Amino acid sequence: MDDCLFCKISRGEIPCRKVYEDDEVLAFHDIRPAARVHFLIIPKQHIESMLSVEPAHAALMGKLMTLVPQLAREQGLGEGFKVNINTGRAGGQEVFHLHLHVFGGGPAAA
């Protein structure tokens, strides 16, 4: 989608503080962190939300989920963390491109 914020970030049109990137996935620090460590993991393929996930996305979804503990450990969250996926407007989703929030390590610095 041409006007999707996360699509623009994944294409490099908008800068981000990258945590991880490959051909299918991008992870980057949240610009409004809710914790000391707070990053997002997104598929580069535009998928609007969990409501749009289909069986054809199974391998990609598995990849996203297996990256969570790897990247969390690399970001210093080896003792534990939270994962959140807001889904749809009623579920608190603000950017309509599937994304996983990974956060922990105590409150964000003021």
Side-chain angles (χ1 to χ4, degrees), residues 36-76:
R36 185 182 58 76
V37 175
H38 184 173
F39 62 92
L40 307 176
I41 304 175
I42 67 168
K44 289 186 175 180
Q45 175 186 353
H46 183 84
I47 301 171
E48 186 171 296
S49 75
M50 285 297 295
L51 290 168
S52 303
V53 172
E54 300 175 351
H57 298 125
L60 178 59
M61 295 304 295
K63 183 175 187 172
L64 293 172
M65 294 307 293
T66 58
L67 277 170
V68 169
Q70 172 192 327
L71 299 179
R73 282 187 200 98
E74 290 174 6
Q75 294 298 306

Side-chain angles (χ1 to χ4, degrees), residues 17 29-40 75 77 80-83 101-110:
R17 290 180 38 228
H29 291 279
D30 195 298
I31 61 169
R32 293 185 318 212
R36 185 182 58 76
V37 175
H38 184 173
F39 62 92
L40 307 176
Q75 294 298 306
L77 300 176
F81 51 87
K82 294 180 183 183
V83 178
H101 292 263
V102 180
F103 47 101

